[in-house]
Amino acid sequence: MEVYHEAVILILMLILGIDPGTATTGYGVVKIKEDVYEIVDSGLIETSKNGTPAKRLQTIHKELSKILKDHRPNVMAIEKIFFATNAKTAIRVGQAQGIMLLSAAKYKAEVVEYAPGTIKKVVAGNGRADKKDIQKSLRKVFGAGVRSKPRQKTHFDNEADALAVALCHALRVNGKIKKQKKG
């Protein structure tokens, strides 16, 4: 008589979402286990406005490397650069993105890129969703904790965008949102 055991497959993945910038880079580390999504860490990498381009890139590399070392994500999901008007800004952000790709390679994290419209469509259901729509969708998945820190001057939009990039990849890998981790 043969005995069959049902195999339980757990999908466990850490995704580092990145909203690239030179002054402010948002990041969000999201864990998925089966159909549960949880924020592990999120925040901002900020560089000095008075810093040289080289110094700003060095800061991004140092801070992102620390995040990669601390969390060891399987994947780094990054928002593709989309600029229609300012070539100088696009070049600077492209340089920062190159540093980000180098950091991911150093820690052997796979890299995937998503266009802004794709992220909005996957996360909020509308490719033209605004920041408020994205943040509302993030709160549905991760809970009420997805808000800017009280009494701090912050670029929360960058942090929320990074979480949206990570969630976009999680949903692409894992399918529909079914439930959130209760905390």
Side-chain angles (χ1 to χ4, degrees):
M1 176 193 227
E2 291 183 37
V3 178
Y4 293 95
H5 296 282
E6 227 176 271
V8 177
I9 299 172
L10 297 178
I11 296 174
L12 176 62
M13 180 181 286
L14 279 177
I15 302 164
L16 171 59
I18 297 289
D19 178 35
T22 52
T24 306
T25 292
Y27 71 90
V29 181
V30 171
K31 176 171 79 172
I32 58 172
K33 183 176 179 182
E34 294 179 327
D35 57 358
V36 179
Y37 302 78
E38 177 184 1
I39 297 172
V40 175
D41 188 16
S42 65
L44 301 170
I45 299 170
E46 296 179 284
T47 64
S48 171
K49 291 179 183 177
N50 300 324
T52 65
K55 186 69 176 164
R56 294 176 102 176
L57 294 174
Q58 182 182 34
T59 299
I60 293 167
H61 177 67
K62 179 182 170 191
E63 296 299 317
L64 185 57
S65 292
K66 182 180 181 333
I67 294 163
L68 286 158
K69 182 180 177 187
D70 289 349
H71 296 291
R72 298 290 179 171
N74 307 90
V75 177
M76 184 172 84
I78 190 165
E79 184 174 0
K80 286 183 183 178
I81 299 171
F82 178 77
F83 289 96
T85 56
N86 191 334
K88 183 178 176 184
T89 301
I91 290 167
R92 290 283 185 227
V93 175
Q95 291 170 337
Q97 195 172 31
I99 291 296
M100 294 167 194
L101 296 174
L102 173 66
S103 299
K106 179 179 173 184
Y107 288 95
K108 298 179 178 25
E110 176 188 353
V111 176
V112 294
E113 294 182 282
Y114 292 100
T118 300
I119 297 163
K120 292 173 182 181
K121 176 75 174 164
V122 171
V123 172
N126 176 358
R128 296 183 183 263
D130 63 17
K131 301 279 186 193
K132 287 182 182 181
D133 294 331
I134 295 294
Q135 291 173 20
K136 182 178 177 183
S137 295
L138 291 173
R139 281 192 291 278
K140 283 182 183 177
V141 176
F142 297 119
V146 182
R147 299 201 188 287
S148 61
K149 279 89 177 156
R151 292 189 219 131
Q152 276 187 333
K153 184 180 179 199
T154 181
H155 299 276
F156 180 68
D157 288 350
N158 301 99
E159 185 177 341
D161 286 352
L163 288 168
V165 177
L167 181 58
C168 175
H169 185 69
L171 293 173
R172 284 283 176 102
V173 167
N174 209 26
K176 287 199 237 176
I177 300 171
K178 295 180 183 172
K179 56 187 166 185
Q180 68 187 35
K181 173 146 179 143
K182 303 292 180 194

